[in-house]
């Protein structure tokens, strides 16, 4: 929906917001009535638990969006600072990272590439480290060599967003060189929607998400999100973010234990309901606008695809290797470029058939695929096949050909071109790996794990056996990073991954969700719930014992000598059972995550089941 069509906004039916209005009204009345009977201590405990839950959701959303920078950083380091097809990779990665609306590469601190470019073009050329456009958070990221998140700011291209800056260095040790920054744009308030901060307001709480000035002036607070209501002696919880900490402060709108007239409370509840209905109306407007933008993007994508196909058709005439074969399929001509592709001279190929350059199985497949085409004397295009380099290395090529006919229509042979696409296939395989595996541990990432969890839900539904989901967070991980650096932290994460895999069966799944969070899927326990609970508890206890064993991590000190760091670490584990599609994947993960935070609150290095499981 365009900005120039306000009539469409007016026509959005307010009745669509009525269910939200009625539901919010019912919740508000219930909360207001129950709050009268609660003590101040109970209210503060409830507020703190809610702040912890929403703070954890905010942290996950931010870390999930920020993790989009890691694949690009890996690609930059792999390519020694000059990655190829980085715009395509960034475009393909972006949809997999919820909350991330744009990715940018800034070699030497100057923004050179940003995806998507159309809506962010004004940013290209911005110098983040020097001159009038210098960004102190970018400088801070470079100087600390740490992923750093800015507070939400007004963007040059419009809108409000926080920007994650990941410094990238090439090489290691004394030869380590600063390459530049990889940035991810996190739109506000979009990234906070799934954290559902407005649920706090619906529950009768005011909230303020803020942080101190990064330069150390504690008198200066930067507001990130607020309900707009004043805070009265609030409960505050820390929300760790890369290279900093945000704070989420929460208090009841009417103060702690201060009873108000029931009529006034009802009026306040009505106001909240109206705000919720208005928010619903606004979200519906934004949804329709987004659908229109996506439609336009799809049309543009199709147009670009057609243009690319036309380009490929034209490019065939200048492919790497031009050839001709006779009616029996034997080479009668090969261009000189075959030497650079396969290391054969043109003379060496004369009299051979293309199938003699292929592995036996590939030759049979290609021969069968071409049989009908050759019989019909028809052209063929972009036949992908494997040929062997002179040294035996397999190469992937695209082959196109057209028949050579005499004046009477008799087939004399074929003329065509081969193009080497080996590097492209390898890059596509790398991209597939990035899409499904964690780049550090090579464990399944969130996307692959979600798919396996869906399969497990279906399987347990058929077998009637329970499965278990374990959500864990390492204790004392941040001090190791702060004292010894992220390289040592990465070594710890690798060792944790190996220990977890040794604690489960080969058919089970260990995944990393980012940071120091790991998730384990145990399938097919037992049909009896109590037995399954005991089995899951035993597995979780084995993991606790394994993870609590000392870690011996090797690093190189400042003088170039290898030293061993002994580190002791534990974990907090939340466990929940599942069977069939009794719940959704998202709800199941949330249940295990909540149990994990209960384990942390219980003193860490412990296991807690979801409340619904403990009640059994």
């Amino acid at each position: 929906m365009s900005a120039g069509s306000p009539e469409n906004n007016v026509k959005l039916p307010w009745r669509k917001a009525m269910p939200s209005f009625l539901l919010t009204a019912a919740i508000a009345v219930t909360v207001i009535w129950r709050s009268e009977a609660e003590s101040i201590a109970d209210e503060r405990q409830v507020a703190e638990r809610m702040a912890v839950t929403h703070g954890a959701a905010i942290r996950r959303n931010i870390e999930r969006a920020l993790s989009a920078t890691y694949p690009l950083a890996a690609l930059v380091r792999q390519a020694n600072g000059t990655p190829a097809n980085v715009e395509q990779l960034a475009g393909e990665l972006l949809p997999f990272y919820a909350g991330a609306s744009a990715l940018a590469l800034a070699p030497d601190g100057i923004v050179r590439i940003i995806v998507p470019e159309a809506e962010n073009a004004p940013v290209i050329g911005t110098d983040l480290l020097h001159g009038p456009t210098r960004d102190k958070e970018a400088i801070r990221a470079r100087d600390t060599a740490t992923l750093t998140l800015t507070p939400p700011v007004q963007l040059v291209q419009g809108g409000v967003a926080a920007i994650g800056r990941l410094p990238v260095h090439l090489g290691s040790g004394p030869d380590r060189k600063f390459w530049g920054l990889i940035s991810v744009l996190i739109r506000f308030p979009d990234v906070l929607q799934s954290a559902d901060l407005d649920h706090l307001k619906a529950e009768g709480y005011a909230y303020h998400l803020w942080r101190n000035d990064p330069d150390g002036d504690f008198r200066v607070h930067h507001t990130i999100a607020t309900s707009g209501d004043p805070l009265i002696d609030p409960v505050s919880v820390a929300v760790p973010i890369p290279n900093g900490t945000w704070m989420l402060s929460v208090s009841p709108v009417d103060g702690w234990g201060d009873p108000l007239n029931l009529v006034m409370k009802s009026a306040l509840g009505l106001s909240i309901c109206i705000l919720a209905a208005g928010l619903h109306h606004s979200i519906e407007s934004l949804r329709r606008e987004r659908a229109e933008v996506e439609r336009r993007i799809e049309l543009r994508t199709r147009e670009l695809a057609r243009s690319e196909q036309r380009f490929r058709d034209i490019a065939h005439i200048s492919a790497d290797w031009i050839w001709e074969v006779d009616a029996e399929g034997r080479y009668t001509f090969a261009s000189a470029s075959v030497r650079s592709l396969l290391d054969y001279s043109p003379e060496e190929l004369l009299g051979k058939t293309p199938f003699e350059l292929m592995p036996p199985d590939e030759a049979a497949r290609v021969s069968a695929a071409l049989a009908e085409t050759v019989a019909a004397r028809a052209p063929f295009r972009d036949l992908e096949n494997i040929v062997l380099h002179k040294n035996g290395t397999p190469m992937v090529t695209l082959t196109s050909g057209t028949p050579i006919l005499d004046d009477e229509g008799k087939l004399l042979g074929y003329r065509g071109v081969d193009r080497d696409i080996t590097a492209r296939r390898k890059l596509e395989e790398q991209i597939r790996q990035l899409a499904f595996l964690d780049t550090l541990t090579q464990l399944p990432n969130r996307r692959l794990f979600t798919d396996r969890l869906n399969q497990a839900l279906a399987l347990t539904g058929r077998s009637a056996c329970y499965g278990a989901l374990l959500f864990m967070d390492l204790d004392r991980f941040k001090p190791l990073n702060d004292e010894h650096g992220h390289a040592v932290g990465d070594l710890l994460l690798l060792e944790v991954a190996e220990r977890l895999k040794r604690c489960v069966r080969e058919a089970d799944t260990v995944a990393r969700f980012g940071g120091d969070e790991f998730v384990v899927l145990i399938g097919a326990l037992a049909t009896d719930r109590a037995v399954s609970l005991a089995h899951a508890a035993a597995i979780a206890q084995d993991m606790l014992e394994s993870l609590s064993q000392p870690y011996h991590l090797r690093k190189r000190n400042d003088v170039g000598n290898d030293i061993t760091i002994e580190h002791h670490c534990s974990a907090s584990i939340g466990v929940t059972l599942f069977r069939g599609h009794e719940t959704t994947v998202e709800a199941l993960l949330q249940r295990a995550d909540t149990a994990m935070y209960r384990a942390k609150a219980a003193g860490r290095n412990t296991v807690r089941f979801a409340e619904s499981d403990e009640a059994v």
Side-chain angles (χ1 to χ4, degrees), residues 501 504-509:
K501 287 192 291 186
V504 298
R505 301 164 300 189
E506 185 175 350
D508 300 326
T509 299

Side-chain angles (χ1 to χ4, degrees), residues 21 25 30 117 120 184 193 235 238 256 273 321 332 334 337 395 429 432 454 472 519 533:
F21 176 87
T30 302
E117 182 176 339
N120 299 288
V184 58
Q193 286 182 359
V235 171
W256 302 103
C273 295
W321 173 21
T332 58
S337 55
M395 310 284 289
E429 180 61 28
R432 282 193 291 271
N454 266 316
M472 66 191 66
V519 186
L533 280 171

Side-chain angles (χ1 to χ4, degrees), residues 442-462:
Q442 295 301 298
L443 292 176
N445 61 12
R446 178 181 289 270
R447 181 183 180 192
L448 180 55
F449 184 82
T450 300
D451 181 67
R452 292 188 180 178
L453 183 52
N454 266 316
Q455 295 178 23
L457 288 173
L459 182 61
T460 55
R462 293 192 298 267

Side-chain angles (χ1 to χ4, degrees), residues 476-498:
R476 298 186 67 249
F477 176 70
K478 186 175 182 298
L480 177 67
N481 267 348
D482 293 343
E483 182 177 355
H484 299 289
H486 288 280
V488 174
D490 288 347
L491 292 177
L492 176 65
L493 293 174
L494 288 168
E495 178 61 25
V496 167
E498 290 301 318

Side-chain angles (χ1 to χ4, degrees), residues 340-353:
S340 62
L341 179 64
L342 300 178
D343 200 29
Y344 286 104
S345 69
E347 294 75 19
E348 289 179 284
L349 294 185
L350 298 181
K352 294 181 180 293
T353 69

Side-chain angles (χ1 to χ4, degrees), residues 549-595:
Q549 298 301 312
Y551 295 84
H552 298 92
L553 312 173
R554 296 180 63 83
K555 67 170 284 188
R556 182 158 293 184
N557 60 17
D558 295 337
V559 298
N561 295 327
D562 288 338
I563 61 174
T564 299
I565 299 168
E566 182 172 318
H567 182 72
H568 293 269
C569 180
S570 59
S572 299
I573 302 179
V575 185
T576 187
L577 296 184
F578 63 87
R579 181 170 65 180
H581 289 283
E582 299 172 350
T583 183
T584 64
V585 168
E586 293 75 11
L588 194 59
L589 287 170
Q590 181 63 47
R591 204 160 70 194
D593 184 46
T594 300

Side-chain angles (χ1 to χ4, degrees), residues 107-325:
D108 298 323
I110 301 174
V111 178
R112 300 297 187 191
I113 297 172
I114 188 164
V115 176
E117 182 176 339
E119 58 198 68
N120 299 288
V123 180
I124 295 179
T126 301
D127 191 337
L128 303 175
L129 303 178
H130 307 91
T133 58
R134 67 200 301 262
D135 186 317
K136 66 181 181 180
E137 299 290 356
I139 296 173
R140 182 164 172 244
R142 178 198 63 187
D143 294 343
T144 61
T146 304
L147 176 62
T148 301
L149 183 66
T150 71
V153 297
Q154 191 71 35
L155 299 175
V156 174
Q157 63 270 39
V160 177
I163 304 174
R165 312 282 195 198
L166 177 65
V168 179
H169 294 80
L170 303 179
S172 60
D175 296 329
R176 191 169 182 238
K177 177 183 177 183
F178 176 69
W179 172 83
L181 300 167
I182 294 179
S183 303
V184 58
L185 196 69
I186 305 174
R187 289 279 183 177
F188 278 77
D190 299 355
V191 75
L192 300 180
Q193 286 182 359
S194 61
D196 200 10
L197 286 179
D198 283 322
H199 179 68
L200 290 171
K201 194 164 186 176
E203 293 286 348
Y205 291 92
Y207 66 84
H208 188 187
L209 182 63
W210 57 278
R211 74 163 196 169
N212 284 326
D213 187 270
D215 294 330
D217 189 350
F218 293 100
R219 297 171 298 178
V220 179
H221 289 182
H222 293 281
T223 298
I224 299 168
T226 178
S227 63
D229 300 304
L231 298 177
I232 303 173
D233 189 20
V235 171
S236 297
V237 298
V239 182
I241 56 113
N243 213 1
T245 301
W246 292 355
M247 301 296 294
L248 179 60
S249 301
V250 177
S251 72
V253 173
D254 301 324
W256 302 103
D258 183 14
L260 297 177
N261 182 276
L262 185 58
V263 174
M264 295 183 64
K265 285 188 175 182
S266 299
L268 177 60
L270 178 61
S271 299
I272 294 174
C273 295
I274 293 173
L275 288 175
L279 178 60
H280 185 98
H281 181 274
S282 299
I283 291 174
E284 180 66 17
S285 299
L286 291 174
R287 185 193 66 76
R288 294 182 62 181
E289 290 178 3
R290 178 178 179 181
E292 176 63 18
V293 170
E294 289 177 347
R295 185 187 68 82
R296 294 179 180 177
I297 291 174
E298 182 179 359
L299 291 176
R300 180 58 178 162
T301 301
R302 290 177 182 174
E303 180 181 346
L304 290 175
R306 288 193 292 267
S307 297
E308 182 180 356
Q309 186 59 47
R310 286 194 296 269
F311 170 79
R312 288 178 177 175
D313 293 342
I314 295 171
H316 284 167
I317 63 174
S318 59
D320 292 341
W321 173 21
I322 302 172
W323 49 263
E324 289 184 2
V325 296

